[in-house]
Amino acid sequence: MSRRLLAGLTLFALLDAQAGTYDLEIAEGTLELSDGKRAALTINGQTPAPELRFQEGEEVVLNVHNRLDRTTSLHWHGIILPYTQDGVPGISFPGIAPGETFTYRFRIEQSGTYWYHAHSDFQEQEGLYGPLIIEPKGREPYRYDREYTLLLFDWQDEKPERTLNNLKKQADYYNDQQQTVGDFWRDARRDGFMATLRDRLAWGDMRMMPTDIADVSGFRFLVNGQDNAQNWTGLFKPGERVRLRLINGSGMSYFDVRIPGLSMTVVQADGNDVLPVTVDQLRIAVAETYDVIVQPRDDQAYTVFAESMDRRGYARATLAPRAGMQGEVPELRAPRLLSMADMGQAHAGMDHGSMAAGEMDHAAMGHAMPGHSMPATADNPDYAAGSGIAPEPVDGGRVLVYGDLKALRPFAGYRAPDRTIELKLTGNMERYFWSFDGQKYSEAEPIRLKHGERVRIRFVNQTMMNHPMHLHGMWMQLDKGNGRLNPLKHVVNVAPGQTLDVDVPADAVGEWAFHCHLIYHMASGMFRKVVVEAADGREQPFYSERAAMEGKTHAH
């Protein structure tokens, strides 16, 4: 049965739960914000792209038509499928050439909240991203009366290629919170002259500043493609339980999300059910998804407030009993400053003299011991779940941390890993390149796994930045000491100076992308290919043969 997606309409596959054919057209278009239109890339005439809604068990066929003058692609983020259908040019297929159509075919083997986006150049940042919702076969283990998808994004008027060029020319190009001489004397009066001098010298040796929390700013933050003045609004009846599907589709921005006056019960992380945990705030890394249930009982409007991690801006949406109502919008909190403790070093063991300008890792994390984690704090005993700076609670409220996430159902294949692969997350901010183990993608050999083995990936972050790490085609079981209840995720955030373990069941033969989901980090080299070989040692054939059989690219 063929269903044509119409511009501006949400897609619901309601008539045929077993098979569906969908047409998606990628073209030049516009994004309409409160102060006018912007040139953008669109899918079926809109950005964000239409919400795709599938059924677990459905056989889907997606015809993607390229109306651009450049090669494009679509990647189904977090979806388990044959690698030839994963949508990564150069790894799973050659991309979709101008004027051609690529047909994706795969069976939906999961349910939950996911998203899809381009995996070509910076097209995702230019508007090619959208939500992907999969309804389960059976009843869900939690009750709700209505649901909304809230897709967060960081729009920039500047062309992404220009942004990357600016970063390579000057690492702090977008840091508009530089410390001044006045700040030095203020800190000296508070902490003492010598202590302040030592602190400034330490940061100078690392070629960074305590304000280096995010390396790009100047974004306009959006919810479902609407800015703060447009104020996306979802309606409710007081007393209803409302499910919010939170997706961070940003290229570079982390958000601390809260709803003043309402607590949030987290029921899913990255599409997988978790034991419900009620919090007042959560931090959502780039490319993560969280499903939360809220229950507004009063006849009033509530603000969904997504504050950027560096406190430079926010996205907001409204939940209200009637259209036109608005809730109070909180003020941005004061900008945060990194400390040496945040950098995972706590001033100890730092050999600043050995840091040749620009040659050592910008954060000098080469001097941090493998396995050296950031300190726990009274407020946040699981600092690993946050970022370089822990998400601070508001009015004593509870903040979600990774240790809170426990799978609702025990993982059947849980066992001790067969081996461990340590991956150092490395980079050089001054020259703006990012890598695994000091090697950019263009220089590195693939990571090779055997089908059926269980491999522990140990991320050792030797940089000063957060890295949301995304493995295509397979789950990462985040090891937080909960055994079979360790949650399955498609993205894990690895904080500065921190070590984080995930176990990967290598259950998908093929060639897969593995990368940091910060778009400028990925483009600058923090990317690897993972090859899962059959048990007999044979590799899956590369995309050309399989593409001819499963996803033929043809003129249209």
Side-chain angles (χ1 to χ4, degrees), residues 14 103 170 188 217 296 356 393 412 480 529 531:
L14 297 176
T103 299
Q170 181 181 338
S217 64
K480 301 306 295 183
K529 181 195 292 187
V531 176

Side-chain angles (χ1 to χ4, degrees), residues 206 343-345 348-352 354-355 359-372 422 424-427 460-464 496-498:
M206 292 193 298
M343 300 307 295
Q345 299 169 340
M350 294 178 63
D351 180 10
H352 300 300
S354 68
M355 295 180 227
E359 293 304 315
M360 292 299 293
D361 182 332
H362 177 60
M365 288 298 168
H367 302 289
M369 295 180 294
H372 179 72
E422 183 175 282
K424 296 182 177 67
L425 309 183
T426 47
V460 181
N461 189 351
Q462 297 187 344
T463 81
M464 77 300 181
Q498 182 159 344

Side-chain angles (χ1 to χ4, degrees), residues 384-405:
S387 66
I389 51 176
E392 72 274 29
V394 177
D395 298 328
R398 181 177 181 179
V399 177
L400 182 75
V401 294
Y402 273 172
D404 293 328
L405 300 177

Side-chain angles (χ1 to χ4, degrees), residues 105-384:
R105 293 183 175 91
F106 51 91
R107 180 181 174 86
I108 302 296
E109 304 286 356
Q110 62 206 95
S111 62
T113 301
Y114 303 91
W115 62 300
Y116 65 109
H117 57 83
H119 223 290
S120 299
D121 302 322
F122 299 105
Q123 294 174 20
E124 171 194 339
Q125 192 71 44
E126 295 179 81
L128 296 186
Y129 71 105
L132 194 164
I133 311 301
I134 305 172
E135 297 175 350
K137 288 181 178 178
R139 290 183 58 184
E140 294 187 279
Y142 31 82
R143 182 172 58 83
Y144 56 94
D145 301 298
R146 67 176 71 205
E147 66 174 85
Y148 293 110
T149 300
L150 300 182
L151 176 54
L152 301 169
F153 190 66
D154 50 3
W155 173 264
Q156 54 186 142
D157 288 340
E158 181 175 78
K159 286 294 184 183
E161 291 82 1
R162 181 183 177 90
T163 300
L164 182 58
N165 188 51
N166 289 337
L167 288 166
K168 287 187 172 294
K169 286 181 178 177
Q170 181 181 338
D172 61 354
Y173 185 92
Y174 295 96
N175 188 347
D176 56 5
Q177 298 174 343
Q178 303 276 5
Q179 289 186 302
T180 65
V181 173
D183 293 328
F184 176 89
W185 290 113
R186 180 202 63 204
D187 294 349
R189 286 192 295 271
R190 184 190 63 205
D191 303 327
F193 179 84
M194 290 307 299
T196 302
L197 180 62
R198 285 194 296 270
D199 181 74
R200 294 301 196 270
L201 289 173
W203 288 105
D205 281 341
M206 292 193 298
R207 306 298 192 269
M208 67 179 296
M209 299 183 68
T211 55
D212 286 340
I213 295 169
D215 41 5
V216 181
S217 64
F219 295 112
R220 182 181 303 211
F221 299 120
L222 309 179
V223 177
N224 296 339
Q226 297 186 32
D227 62 26
N228 293 332
Q230 293 167 308
N231 186 26
W232 182 93
T233 299
L235 301 181
F236 67 86
K237 294 179 181 178
E240 284 186 326
R241 294 166 58 87
V242 183
R243 178 181 187 168
L244 302 178
R245 299 178 182 267
L246 304 174
I247 305 170
N248 188 355
S250 298
M252 295 294 289
S253 301
Y254 288 56
F255 295 96
D256 291 327
V257 180
R258 66 187 194 271
I259 308 175
L262 292 178
S263 58
M264 302 178 288
T265 300
V266 179
V267 296
Q268 271 193 11
D270 286 359
N272 292 295
D273 292 332
V274 296
L275 289 170
V277 54
T278 299
V279 300
D280 300 290
Q281 179 179 304
L282 62 84
R283 174 164 291 171
I284 185 167
V286 170
E288 284 187 317
T289 74
Y290 285 106
D291 287 42
V292 304
I293 294 175
V294 300
Q295 190 169 21
R297 299 183 183 277
D298 297 328
D299 186 45
Q300 69 173 68
Y302 297 86
T303 297
V304 181
F305 191 68
E307 188 176 31
S308 68
M309 183 175 65
D310 61 3
R311 306 289 181 256
R312 285 183 167 107
Y314 66 91
R316 69 119 169 195
T318 296
L319 298 176
R322 291 175 298 282
M325 298 180 68
Q326 296 190 36
E328 183 178 351
V329 179
E331 291 186 4
L332 284 172
R333 287 173 281 184
R336 298 293 303 276
L337 296 178
L338 291 167
S339 69
M340 288 297 162
D342 291 320
M343 300 307 295
Q345 299 169 340
H347 295 283
M350 294 178 63
D351 180 10
H352 300 300
S354 68
M355 295 180 227
E359 293 304 315
M360 292 299 293
D361 182 332
H362 177 60
M365 288 298 168
H367 302 289
M369 295 180 294
H372 179 72
S373 297
M374 284 191 280
T377 68
D379 291 330
N380 187 6
D382 186 14
Y383 207 37

Side-chain angles (χ1 to χ4, degrees), residues 1-69:
M1 180 176 181
S2 177
R3 307 182 202 97
R4 174 76 178 177
L5 288 182
L6 300 178
L9 295 183
T10 299
L11 172 70
F12 290 92
L14 297 176
L15 300 179
D16 183 355
Q18 298 305 309
T21 299
Y22 310 88
D23 289 289
L24 300 172
E25 183 174 285
I26 296 175
E28 301 279 353
T30 58
L31 167 67
E32 186 161 351
L33 300 176
S34 60
D35 60 352
K37 294 182 178 181
R38 310 292 199 277
L41 301 184
T42 62
I43 295 179
N44 290 3
Q46 68 182 75
T47 180
E51 180 172 289
L52 297 176
R53 206 164 185 103
F54 302 143
Q55 295 278 337
E56 184 179 5
E58 182 179 356
E59 298 278 354
V60 300
V61 176
L62 298 115
N63 299 313
V64 180
H65 315 286
N66 182 8
R67 305 303 185 209
L68 304 177
D69 60 1

